[in-house]
Structure formats: C-alpha cells, structure tokens
Amino acid sequence: MDVVIGTGKGFFPLESDLIEMAQTKVHRNKRQVTILIIWMILWEVGSESIQYSVLEETESGMFVANLTKDLGLKRGELAERGAQVVFKGNRQHLQLDPQTYDLLLNEKLDREELCGSTEPCVLPFQVLLENPLQFFQAALRVRDINDHAPEFPTREMLLKISEITTPGKLFPLKMAQDLDAGSNGLQSYIISSNPHFHVLTRIRSDGRKFPELVLDKALDREEQPELRLTLTALDGGSPPRSGTTEIQILVLDINDNAPEFAQEQYEAQIPENNSLGSLIITVSARDLDAGSFGEVSYALFQVDDINQPFEINAITGEIRLRKTLDFEEFQSYHVDIEATDGGGLSGKCSLVIKVLDVNDNTPELTMSSLTSPIPENLPDIIVAVFSVSDADSGQNQQIVCSIDDNLPFLLRPSVENFYTLVTEGALDRESQAEYNITITVTDLGTPRLKTQHNITVTVSDVNDNAPAFSQTTYTLRVRENNSPALHIGSVSATDRDSGANAQVTYSLLPPADPQLPLASLVSINADNGQLFALRSLDYEALQAFEFGVRAADRGSPALSSQARVRVLVLDDNDNAPFVLYPPQNGSAPCTELVPRAAEAGYLVTKVVAVDGDSGQNPYLPLPEVAAVEARADPLTVYLVVALASVSSLFLFSVLVFVAVRLCRRSRAASAGRCSGPEGHFPGHLVDVSGAGTLSQSYQYEVCLRGGSGTSEFKFLKPIFPNFVDPVLIIDS
C-alpha cells in the first residue's frame, strides 16, 4: 500500500503546549467550549498528518501499514497504551491487528459510495493513545479503479431538424454518466461515420462533459427523410469502457424559427427543508412562428437522471420540487431545460439551483474511552475521551459542549473535535460515591439542536478514615464472684470507608499499670468488640481497674483509634445500691435501680480522710431510671430463679423478726424519719459502722422520695465512738 507523508512537520501528537493554548482560549469559570476554538488551534498549528492510500474494492484484512514504525513508537507500545483508530461517524474502515497492531483494511471500500464525484476521496481519521493521552492525525485516500462504464439516460434520442438548417448548426445531446472519477471517468464522445454530422465533446460549468452534434452538410428531406446514428461515450480507463445510444434524426419541412429562452442560464436558491410541490422558478421561451410551429412545450432534458428531484410544467414552465432535498448530500443542481415548438424545433437553457443548509442534523457524540471507577483523593484524573461532530455546515455545524456546573468535573478540548472529561479536584467517596454525568452537545444553528449522553462514574474507596468509637470512655460494672467467660459489656467503633477499609478489628492495649494482670482479667472479641471477664473477680482484692481498647481497620495502611474502659467490681455481699468510686472524691453513685417501695430509707455512715471533706456536700445523686444491665447467660438465669425461690422463704422469716423489732424501736425510728410530700417514711434505717483513724464518725439518713431524682443526706448525732476506714461499706 502507498504511504504519503503530509507536507507539514510530521505527525500530530497531543503536546502539553497545545492543550495550554486551548485552555487560554476558554474562560476558566465556564464549562462550555466550542468546536470553533479547536479549528482555530488547528489553523495555527497547520496541516500535519500521515496519509495512506488503498485501491477501492480491495479485500478486507489487507495490510495497509506498520503503524508502530510510522508513528515512531516502541514495539508493543500501541498495545500497552490501548491504541484506537477513530473515523468520523462511527465508521471503522481500518482496524488494528490484535497481535501485531499493524493497520489493516476492515472492509471492502467503494469510492463512489463514500465520496461520490469528489476527487480525491480522502477519509481523515485519528489514532488515539492513552496513558498518556495522545492523538495522531492521519488520512486514508481511496483510489478509484475503472469499475463503471459510461451510461446514457436513454437507449435512443430523437432529433427533428429542418431541411433548411445551414451547416455548422450545433445540436446539444443528452450526456452520459460515469460514476468513476479522474481518468477513469467519462472523457469523450464519438459518433458513427456519416456524411452529415460529427460530434464535439464540451465541458459545462460543473465539470461534466456533454456531446454536441454539428451539422456538416445540409439535409434534404426528399432525398433522405430520416437518419440513424450511434453515439458512443468513452472513459479513460485502461482498457477504456464505453456506453452507446442511438440517435434518430427526422428531417422536417420548413419551420423557420426555433423556440428561444429569455435567459441562457437561470439561477435559484431553495432551503433544503422546502415542502414537496413548492415552486422554485418559472422559465419562459418564445417562438416567432405562427400556428402549431409557434406553440412551445417545456421538458427537463435529463429526465432519467436518478438525482433529479425537480419537475416542470410542460405548458407554464413552472419548476417545482418533487423529492426531498438534503444539503449534506447535494449542495447544488445543474438542470437542463428544453423548449420545443409544434414543428419539432427546440431551444435549450440551463438552471443552477443552490440548496441552502438548514439546521436539521443533531450533533453526534462518540465515546472513545471511559474509566470507572476512579480512585478518590487524586486530582486531574482523565475520566472519558470522546469526539463530537455535526453533519450541517457553517454556523449550524459549530458546537458547544457542556456538563452541569455543580459537578466536580471539567471538559477540556483536545485536538480537532476531541474532548477529555477530567476531575476538577480530588473526590471524596464518603461524601458522594457515584456521579451521573450528562454531557450536552448543542449546535449554534437556528433552532439549536442538542444531543445528551449520560455516563455513570463511581468513586473507589481509599483508606482515609480511621474507625471512631461511639464513646471515648466506657464504664462497665460486674459483681464479684462472677462465672469465668462472663460477657460484661461491649465497645463499638464504625469506619466511614467501605469494603476491607471499613472492617474493624478490636484489641486490648497494654495497661498503663504494669502490675495489672490485664491479660488474665479481660478478653475482647476481635470482630464485634464484646468484652469478657476471664476469671472470677474478687472485690476485696480489686475494686476497679482501667484499660485501653484499640479499633483498627483492615485497609492498607491500617488506621486505628483508641478508647478507655473502666470496670467497677461490685461487692457480692453488698445489697445496697451505692458504691464508693473513686474513693478520692467520696461520690457514691447508685449501681442499680432503687424502687421507691423497696426501702423507705438507708442509714449510711460516711467516713472521710484527714484531708478530705467532712460532709460539706450533703447531696448524693440518685438516677431517675437506671439502665437494665446486659442479659445474663442462661445458666445465670437459672441460678437467679433458684436463689429467688429460696430467698423468698428466708425473707418471709426475716420480715416477721424485723416486725417485732420495729415495734420495740418505733420511738427511736420516728425521730429519724424524713418528711416528704406524702408524710413520714417508716423508720427503717440501716446502721453502718467500722473502725478507722478518725476521731469521729457521722450517721447519715438517705431518704428516697417519690418523683425525686436526687438523694439527700441528713446529719444526725454520732452513734458510735469508734472509727472506720476511708471506704464506704453498706449493709442492707
């Protein structure tokens, strides 16, 4: 195959300076760019391309060129960079060999179908490379072969010539048509040998060649009233092809005047969307003869031309539209018109009709590549490469390409009619994981026509979020003498990422106190954060302890966060709803829900240290409603039920005993009652005593009031002379 290098500077790769030139012509804050800007860039750069040529009707699969060598690339680079061959209108005349990436013919080409009478027949295309994005301009020229013979519109022509016609008179004949171009097209006409006529080959304004019959010797009707000649059309092929038609000449009696048109050439314009039957122009001819010799009728000379979309009224000369026009197919028509009188004499004129373009073609968008999903946190990612085109002309062909303003993407013009869709900045999958992008292509015609192309782009996750705990500190309570492997509570953390980046694993952190045997006390479920007591806890040995937990995701690199867990160990022999923790500030929070009907009050002895507060804060907070602890395991439930049954019998006996004692101490109890909205509580108080280092102990009364969210301490007289340790011990 022939390869012709363009006269410019060689290939046309996409350079960074070319992109910058395009960007300077577009306002930074606007999303719309037009094809007109691309044309201006190409005009500045110049015509730079590589051209290949093939003969039409060549079989598909034929080798065209070694594209790797012609583009100056490394071996295998075309495959690595996803090379594509892009023709206008989604036609793929060429293909790349999947193994060698040589340029091959994809289909058998018909020059006449592709280009009609246009010569040379050149089909531009682009070679598109990715990673990085690069374009090469190229063209495929389809060379003509002599595969069509000239054809006349009719097998026979009829001429009527008066016997008084003088030699030298010219008679235009119907021309033949050859679909080939250049030297393979129609070249000349010849006529069979005879003493009266010869033929001339003329060229009309549109370049087509037509025959004219020249009278060499006067005719004599009485001697020969009729002649038959053979007209032959020849093309320039090797060997030449030909077509013939018969000419029948009738010699007429005297008809002195032939019809003559008012103009030798008429011109008219018509929009391509004119309705059928609309009037284009009216032609007129007159004949100076009288009678039937002066009556004129009109006809189109090339009536069998397949591209003839017009008709003429034989009497009035009005020319009207009989077939829909398409500017993109034919921009002008050359029509020959004949006027004939009653004696058979005729005159001819020509009509040139220009078709005006109407914006009747919507823009087309061809997607060359699309990347989805795209990673988050990376700017300037090429999402898509596409080209746009419009079959109209002039302003109707100029295109504006745009996307929605509220999207974090930009449209950037590339070479010729190509665009790239890129991210405007780094994307955040956690804010939005998917984008529906509508690319709108609008022409500048009247009315404006547009095409919309929708693409969906998803954002892939990057591990950029650490797990977050629901609380920074967790407080858990567990009663001593618990069963091993008891579930004592849970921690929970969530990760905003997705997939493995959002899968959380829990672990224990080394304790701050190296003396704390944390590994033998608590374990954590790595999958769900549940905490378990590994052994039975002893309140007398350990009242409380703290440790840290870590939540880490499974991303790369893994991200993590930490939280603190505080475990309070409750005395198994302590039925009072209070515990002193931490002992430094003397607070005694409730450890369980205390019903109002359970006890009217509690007598609590509070012992303070030497440097502590000796009862300056008389109020003890009481929760309005305590949360129900985590459900015990089934074995614990069974033990509780059995214990409750035995305890019921025991409590019944105790209540009888207490009732007797209350009667004896009614006078002392009434002195210690608390007043409330419903009167005095029963005087059932609990004594708390112990031994310590202070010189005095105090007795408090804790009054539980209905509807009250706090507990109240009252100072009473000292009842014991001995001391207690700085720990709150509660007897119920």
Side-chain angles (χ1 to χ4, degrees):
M1 299 299 167
D2 296 335
V3 179
V4 181
I5 304 297
T7 58
K9 299 178 182 179
F11 302 137
F12 188 32
L14 179 62
E15 299 292 341
S16 59
D17 57 342
L18 180 57
I19 296 178
E20 293 175 358
M21 290 173 62
Q23 291 175 338
T24 58
K25 296 178 182 293
V26 183
H27 194 281
R28 292 181 178 177
N29 296 327
K30 292 187 177 180
R31 304 295 184 111
Q32 299 185 343
V33 290
T34 64
I35 291 297
L36 181 60
I37 296 176
I38 304 303
W39 290 344
M40 293 172 64
I41 296 172
L42 294 179
W43 181 265
E44 294 171 359
V45 175
S47 176
E48 303 172 343
S49 65
I50 181 171
Q51 189 177 101
Y52 303 102
S53 67
V54 296
L55 290 174
E56 65 170 330
E57 304 298 334
T58 302
E59 294 296 329
S60 62
M62 181 66 68
F63 174 83
V64 176
N66 185 336
L67 196 57
T68 301
K69 178 180 178 182
D70 292 343
L71 299 183
L73 302 176
K74 299 178 183 178
R75 185 174 182 180
E77 187 173 354
L78 289 175
E80 294 173 359
R81 298 177 61 184
Q84 298 182 49
V85 176
V86 182
F87 280 89
K88 182 178 180 181
N90 291 327
R91 294 288 300 272
Q92 284 302 112
H93 304 304
L94 297 175
Q95 63 177 340
L96 293 174
D97 187 295
Q99 280 77 37
T100 65
Y101 271 75
D102 289 336
L103 200 59
L104 306 179
L105 199 60
N106 189 45
E107 60 184 0
K108 185 182 291 187
L109 304 179
D110 186 348
R111 193 206 67 82
E112 289 73 33
E113 178 186 348
L114 294 172
C115 300
S117 59
T118 303
E119 182 63 24
C121 179
V122 178
L123 306 176
F125 67 93
Q126 293 84 28
V127 178
L128 169 63
L129 303 182
E130 300 178 4
N131 300 322
L133 183 65
Q134 193 173 11
F135 293 87
F136 292 95
Q137 295 285 69
L140 176 65
R141 178 179 177 181
V142 182
R143 305 204 315 272
D144 186 50
I145 63 173
N146 192 24
D147 55 346
H148 295 89
E151 291 185 8
F152 285 95
T154 59
R155 293 185 178 181
E156 187 175 295
M157 300 183 193
L158 177 63
L159 287 179
K160 296 178 180 180
I161 303 176
S162 173
E163 61 180 338
I164 63 170
T165 303
T166 58
K169 175 71 174 177
L170 301 177
F171 300 92
L173 301 175
K174 295 178 181 179
M175 61 183 173
Q177 185 177 10
D178 192 328
L179 296 180
D180 292 321
S183 61
N184 293 325
L186 193 150
Q187 299 296 320
S188 62
Y189 296 90
I190 59 175
I191 199 167
S192 58
S193 178
N194 69 93
H196 295 282
F197 299 94
H198 74 274
V199 70
L200 297 177
T201 301
R202 302 284 192 182
I203 302 176
R204 68 181 192 180
S205 60
D206 61 355
R208 299 178 67 181
K209 298 176 181 178
F210 67 95
E212 279 190 337
L213 195 63
V214 182
L215 181 62
D216 295 327
K217 179 182 177 182
L219 300 174
D220 186 350
R221 183 178 181 279
E222 286 71 27
E223 180 182 340
Q224 189 177 4
E226 181 180 333
L227 288 84
R228 283 190 172 273
L229 305 175
T230 300
L231 179 63
T232 302
L234 299 172
D235 65 20
S238 179
R241 291 174 175 261
S242 62
T244 61
T245 185
E246 293 290 326
I247 302 176
Q248 182 184 8
I249 301 174
L250 299 179
V251 182
L252 304 177
D253 278 338
I254 296 175
N255 183 12
D256 297 327
N257 298 284
E260 292 184 3
F261 283 92
Q263 299 175 222
E264 290 186 2
Q265 180 172 305
Y266 292 83
E267 293 184 357
Q269 294 181 341
I270 179 173
E272 62 175 327
N273 64 344
N274 258 26
S275 58
L276 299 181
S278 58
L279 178 64
I280 300 173
I281 196 172
T282 300
V283 297
S284 176
R286 55 180 300 194
D287 193 315
L288 298 178
D289 291 325
S292 62
F293 289 155
E295 295 176 357
V296 178
S297 62
Y298 302 93
L300 298 180
F301 198 52
Q302 296 282 139
V303 294
D304 293 327
D305 193 327
I306 59 173
N307 296 322
Q308 187 65 266
F310 312 106
E311 60 185 3
I312 189 169
N313 187 301
I315 300 175
T316 64
E318 293 178 345
I319 299 177
R320 296 182 179 272
L321 187 65
R322 72 175 182 87
K323 180 182 175 183
T324 303
L325 300 177
D326 187 358
F327 175 84
E328 288 69 41
E329 185 177 358
F330 291 100
Q331 291 77 46
S332 64
Y333 293 87
H334 191 113
V335 181
D336 293 322
I337 304 170
E338 181 181 42
T340 306
D341 64 18
L345 299 180
S346 62
K348 294 179 177 63
C349 74
S350 61
L351 169 63
V352 177
I353 300 175
K354 294 183 179 179
V355 182
L356 303 180
D357 184 38
V358 173
N359 194 27
D360 58 348
N361 290 280
T362 57
E364 295 182 359
L365 184 149
T366 303
M367 188 65 63
S368 297
S369 68
L370 175 63
T371 303
S372 180
I374 56 176
E376 64 174 334
N377 299 342
L378 292 179
D380 296 327
I381 299 176
I382 297 179
V383 179
V385 178
F386 62 92
S387 61
V388 293
S389 60
D390 195 308
D392 291 316
S393 64
Q395 185 143 341
N396 298 332
Q397 192 182 40
Q398 297 180 19
I399 292 177
V400 172
C401 197
S402 65
I403 59 175
D404 293 338
D405 290 334
N406 59 352
L407 294 175
F409 297 91
L410 292 173
L411 280 179
R412 289 179 179 171
S414 188
V415 298
E416 199 172 313
N417 56 346
F418 277 85
Y419 289 85
T420 56
L421 177 68
V422 299
T423 56
E424 187 174 15
L427 302 181
D428 184 9
R429 189 204 64 83
E430 288 70 39
S431 299
Q432 187 167 348
E434 183 178 278
Y435 294 89
N436 293 315
I437 305 172
T438 300
I439 303 173
T440 303
V441 184
T442 308
D443 63 27
L444 300 182
T446 303
R448 294 195 173 189
L449 302 178
K450 68 178 181 180
T451 297
Q452 291 185 326
H453 187 87
N454 298 315
I455 60 174
T456 299
V457 178
T458 57
V459 183
S460 61
D461 186 48
V462 173
N463 193 27
D464 55 351
N465 290 280
F469 280 95
S470 58
Q471 302 173 215
T472 57
T473 302
Y474 294 82
T475 301
L476 307 178
R477 296 175 178 86
V478 57
R479 192 169 293 279
E480 68 171 336
N481 300 326
N482 58 284
S483 59
L486 176 66
H487 175 217
I488 62 175
S490 300
V491 295
S492 176
T494 57
D495 195 311
R496 294 180 61 202
D497 293 318
S498 65
N501 296 333
Q503 296 179 8
V504 179
T505 301
Y506 301 91
S507 61
L508 297 177
L509 294 173
D513 183 3
Q515 303 299 323
L516 180 66
L518 182 64
S520 62
L521 293 175
V522 179
S523 71
I524 189 169
N525 188 311
D527 296 326
N528 55 29
Q530 292 183 348
L531 292 165
F532 298 89
L534 295 179
R535 70 182 188 186
S536 179
L537 302 177
D538 185 0
Y539 173 80
E540 285 70 23
L542 184 65
Q543 289 79 36
F545 60 94
E546 291 187 1
F547 58 91
V549 291
R550 176 176 179 266
D553 58 33
R554 298 183 181 179
S556 179
L559 303 179
S560 64
S561 61
Q562 301 177 6
R564 301 298 299 173
V565 178
R566 181 173 60 187
V567 179
L568 306 180
V569 182
L570 307 181
D571 189 1
D572 196 27
N573 296 322
D574 186 2
N575 296 324
F578 308 101
V579 65
L580 185 64
Y581 185 86
Q584 288 78 9
N585 61 14
S587 63
C590 288
T591 62
E592 60 185 39
L593 180 65
V594 182
R596 181 174 177 270
E599 295 289 349
Y602 291 90
L603 184 62
V604 180
T605 297
K606 176 183 179 183
V607 180
V608 297
V610 174
D611 58 347
D613 179 11
S614 60
Q616 296 302 312
N617 182 10
Y619 293 97
L620 179 66
L622 178 66
E624 295 179 5
V625 179
V628 179
E629 294 291 335
R631 293 185 178 179
D633 55 31
L635 179 59
T636 304
V637 174
Y638 298 149
L639 293 175
V640 170
V641 172
L643 181 62
S645 301
V646 176
S647 299
S648 298
L649 296 176
F650 174 75
L651 288 176
F652 179 76
S653 301
V654 172
L655 288 175
V656 173
F657 175 76
V658 171
V660 174
R661 291 197 61 184
L662 286 177
C663 291
R664 295 176 183 177
R665 297 178 60 183
S666 59
R667 188 172 300 175
S670 60
R673 291 175 183 169
C674 299
S675 60
E678 298 180 3
H680 297 286
F681 289 94
H684 184 183
L685 301 177
V686 180
D687 295 332
V688 180
S689 62
T693 61
L694 296 181
S695 62
Q696 189 177 11
S697 63
Y698 295 91
Q699 184 182 71
Y700 296 87
E701 179 184 5
V702 181
C703 297
L704 306 179
R705 301 187 177 184
S708 174
T710 62
S711 60
E712 181 177 311
F713 280 51
K714 290 189 176 180
F715 293 92
L716 303 178
K717 63 182 180 179
I719 59 175
F720 297 108
N722 57 340
F723 303 99
V724 294
D725 293 331
V727 176
L728 182 60
I729 304 174
I730 302 174
D731 261 337
S732 60

